[in-house]
Amino acid sequence: MSASDRTIQANFRLFYFLAFWALGGLYPLLSIYLKEEIRLSGSQIGTLVSIGPIVMVIAQPVWGLICDWTGRARTVLVTALLATGGIGLGFLFFDEYLPLLAAASSLALFQGAIIPISDTLTVNYAMRHRLDYGSFRLWGAIGFAAAGFAMGWLAERFGLSVIFYGFALTLWLGAASARRMPGDRISMRMDLRSGLSRLIRLPRFALFLLATFLVFGPIFANNTYMGLLFQSSGATVAGVGLGFLLAAGSEVPFMKIAGNWIRRRGALAVTLFAAGISALRWLFYFFEPDILWLYLTSVVQGLSTGLFIPAALIYVRNLAPEEAKTTAVSLYTAAGTGLGNWFCTLLGGWILETFDIFTTYLFFGILTAVGAMILWIVLRLEKTGTKKASPEPAGRP
């Protein structure tokens, strides 16, 4: 490997570390900031945080068109990083609900470009050089975990407003890193019409999308409400950061072994196992466990999220026909990280205001359990289809 290749690969790892540090340092503590500093209600917090996923679902195809039209994906990525960091700082100038809602919408508009474009650049480079995309993306999980702990510690000492400074700084450093990425001309187009016509003929795909909505929604909404859960059990802001370090950090080793588990057990079986673990975790939180048990069970996130994300993506890609893979992945992302995230974050805030944070996690647990049952149905359909496709053994003459 040449020195130039080593530098490029190190830069990809640095980018993911910085980009996900920004996300891990802001969103786990944002709900605490909105509750303690701005004094928003639970429903207001849910609405404000949930607006992001919906805006991103709408914005991501637009950013793809911009990249296709300009042919300068790297420049678009750098612009989005700089703008997102600047808008993040804008939160410090508002202390009322409606201006904050507008700021959250603007933030999501530009943030929606970051991961799809950077992932496409990274996958292109990895495929061209026969490298594993996961070896780069893994550094995002490390950055997210480290940021939760570090920013919690800093917020404990300097105030919660520090999370916005950390968010902007790391995204701007990420922009400097993105400028050194290979400037490939990439295509992010999606043939929605022909892709949908093939996918709607696959009942298993529709069921899997519904399961993704029910399982992924609580996983991502947990990033918003986990801080409030820990605080309700007596944790300090620094203690919240420690919880996120344990939870997000546990994903790293399981992401590394996920490929082996998927090859041995099958992607669908792994998603079912991960969804079951996730449901048990959310339901356990309904019983108001002691703070020690919250820390101990937070490492279960590796078994749930760390396995579900790669296994679900592989299953969707394997299930979809070749000409509809891009459409299938886009729909899968929209169902889970978009609509599911929005729905669970929004209703979670309403439940928090009406009841308490523990009832919010009961809601998450019920949804995830239903999602796991749907995955079990998909698994049975797959096994039934395999048996029907197998030739009958020849009878005796």
Side-chain angles (χ1 to χ4, degrees):
M1 183 191 301
S2 67
S4 175
D5 286 334
R6 284 195 295 269
T7 301
I8 291 173
Q9 292 174 29
N11 185 66
F12 274 118
R13 297 186 186 99
L14 176 62
F15 170 81
Y16 277 105
F17 181 84
L18 291 170
F20 279 86
W21 177 291
L23 302 178
L26 175 65
Y27 288 105
L29 298 174
L30 180 59
S31 59
I32 299 176
Y33 172 83
L34 295 173
K35 181 181 180 182
E36 294 190 354
E37 301 291 330
I38 310 298
R39 305 294 180 184
L40 296 186
S41 66
S43 60
Q44 287 177 322
I45 293 172
T47 304
L48 194 149
V49 178
S50 68
I51 196 70
I54 291 297
V55 173
M56 288 184 199
V57 168
I58 298 170
Q60 284 174 356
V62 176
W63 287 112
L65 290 173
I66 293 173
C67 288
D68 289 338
W69 178 60
T70 63
R72 303 181 68 180
R74 184 177 60 186
T75 302
V76 175
L77 175 60
V78 170
T79 302
L81 287 160
L82 294 173
T84 305
I87 296 170
L89 278 181
F91 272 77
L92 294 170
F93 298 97
F94 306 120
D95 57 6
E96 295 182 358
Y97 173 66
L98 288 179
L100 284 170
L101 187 64
S105 302
S106 302
L107 182 75
L109 178 65
F110 287 93
Q111 185 184 321
I114 296 173
I115 300 304
I117 297 176
S118 61
D119 276 354
T120 304
L121 288 169
T122 307
V123 169
N124 283 1
Y125 178 84
M127 291 179 63
R128 190 167 63 250
H129 294 270
R130 298 182 179 179
L131 299 171
D132 181 15
Y133 158 76
S135 65
F136 300 118
R137 176 61 177 79
L138 184 66
W139 285 88
I142 295 173
F144 192 98
F149 176 72
M151 297 309 296
W153 184 86
L154 290 171
E156 183 79 20
R157 283 151 182 78
F158 302 106
L160 284 163
S161 60
V162 74
I163 63 176
F164 300 106
Y165 294 107
F167 180 75
L169 177 61
T170 48
L171 283 182
W172 291 341
L173 291 173
S177 178
R179 290 189 62 185
R180 297 192 293 271
M181 287 183 177
D184 296 338
R185 185 183 181 93
I186 64 173
S187 177
M188 299 174 65
R189 291 179 182 174
M190 177 178 66
D191 189 353
L192 189 61
R193 181 183 300 176
S194 64
L196 278 177
S197 67
R198 297 297 303 273
L199 293 171
I200 59 176
R201 301 172 195 166
L202 300 171
R204 284 178 292 159
F205 181 76
L207 286 172
F208 191 82
L209 281 189
L210 178 58
T212 299
F213 172 89
L214 295 170
V215 175
F216 252 157
I219 284 175
F220 284 98
N222 176 59
N223 289 335
T224 298
Y225 294 111
M226 185 175 167
L228 297 176
L229 173 70
F230 271 71
Q231 276 203 325
S232 296
S233 297
T236 63
V237 175
V240 170
L242 175 61
F244 272 96
L245 173 64
L246 294 173
S250 70
E251 296 178 21
V252 176
F254 283 100
M255 281 186 173
K256 295 193 73 171
I257 66 172
N260 186 42
W261 282 31
I262 292 167
R263 285 189 293 271
R264 290 173 57 190
R265 302 293 182 181
L268 187 56
V270 172
T271 62
L272 176 57
F273 171 77
I277 295 294
S278 191
L280 290 174
R281 181 189 176 196
W282 306 144
L283 291 172
F284 176 69
Y285 290 163
F286 169 65
F287 296 99
E288 305 183 27
D290 183 77
I291 185 65
L292 177 61
W293 281 105
L294 288 182
Y295 285 126
L296 291 175
T297 55
S298 64
V299 299
V300 173
Q301 188 160 310
L303 271 175
S304 55
T305 309
L307 293 179
F308 193 91
I309 290 176
L313 180 59
I314 289 173
Y315 181 75
V316 167
R317 288 187 58 84
N318 291 342
L319 182 62
E322 189 64 36
E323 66 274 16
K325 288 189 186 297
T326 301
T327 304
V329 171
S330 298
L331 291 173
Y332 151 79
T333 302
T337 62
L339 296 176
N341 189 356
W342 163 77
F343 177 78
C344 291
T345 303
L346 182 64
L347 263 68
W350 178 83
I351 294 171
L352 170 64
E353 183 175 345
T354 307
F355 300 100
D356 54 36
I357 189 64
F358 305 104
T359 309
T360 296
Y361 276 87
L362 173 63
F363 169 65
F364 291 167
I366 293 172
L367 286 186
T368 307
V370 174
M373 287 193 296
I374 293 173
L375 289 173
W376 180 81
I377 293 171
V378 176
L379 184 62
R380 298 300 299 173
L381 288 173
E382 192 165 89
K383 289 183 176 180
T384 302
T386 302
K387 287 180 180 179
K388 288 182 178 179
S390 301
E392 292 292 330
R396 292 183 180 182

